[in-house]
Amino acid sequence: MLWEVMGLASKREGAKISALEAKTNWKLEDAQGDIRELQHEIEQLNLMVKALATICQQNGVFTENQFKDLVDFIDIQDGVLDGKSKKEVQPRTCPKCNRQNQRLARKCMWCEADL
Ligand SMILES: [Zn+2]
């Protein structure tokens, strides 16, 4: 009897573990898909920036050094010279009371209207 109960319990645990593994694999595949999509978008942006920089240089809009100086100038505006530019965080304006709210807020903190 004890062995039968333990066997049933371990079968149930096994089924739970299998379900959890399937769910985890699904989430992992989903994340891998997101990463592939982001890599594709980065490569497209890289291509566009190279094309724009090349045509501007060919037409005498700026030299390569002027471009690099401008990149550094824009890079340092977020406070860190790290080869990246953080997205500017714009506050959200309430459509009802016109007051400012945090960018990710869903409800106005002043009048509770939906943002
Ligand atoms: Zn409001």
Side-chain angles (χ1 to χ4, degrees):
M1 176 71 181
L2 179 63
W3 295 113
E4 284 173 22
V5 170
M6 285 179 72
L8 277 175
S10 69
K11 271 186 189 171
R12 268 194 222 128
E13 290 307 308
K16 279 184 193 170
I17 290 169
S18 294
L20 199 60
E21 277 177 348
K23 198 174 172 183
T24 304
N25 284 340
W26 180 81
K27 283 182 180 178
L28 185 63
E29 284 168 19
D30 204 36
Q32 287 170 332
D34 288 349
I35 290 169
R36 277 193 295 276
E37 202 172 298
L38 285 170
Q39 282 174 328
H40 180 73
E41 286 177 22
I42 289 168
E43 287 167 3
Q44 281 182 321
L45 284 169
N46 196 17
L47 174 65
M48 296 298 167
V49 169
K50 278 184 182 171
L52 281 170
T54 301
I55 199 163
C56 286
Q57 285 172 30
Q58 285 174 349
N59 288 294
V61 177
F62 51 68
T63 66
E64 193 175 338
N65 283 337
Q66 286 173 322
F67 183 69
K68 284 178 181 171
D69 288 346
L70 183 60
V71 168
D72 286 346
F73 175 75
I74 292 170
D75 184 357
I76 198 72
Q77 287 179 352
D78 64 8
V80 190
L81 189 65
D82 58 0
K84 320 183 265 195
S85 177
K86 282 191 181 156
K87 273 188 181 172
E88 289 173 32
V89 180
Q90 297 287 334
R92 231 177 200 182
T93 304
C94 174
K96 191 175 167 192
C97 71
N98 270 345
R99 288 177 164 156
Q100 301 289 308
N101 288 272
Q102 289 185 340
R103 192 177 61 90
L104 297 176
R106 292 180 179 205
K107 285 201 178 280
C108 176
M109 66 184 220
W110 307 99
C111 72
E112 297 188 341
D114 289 327
L115 297 173

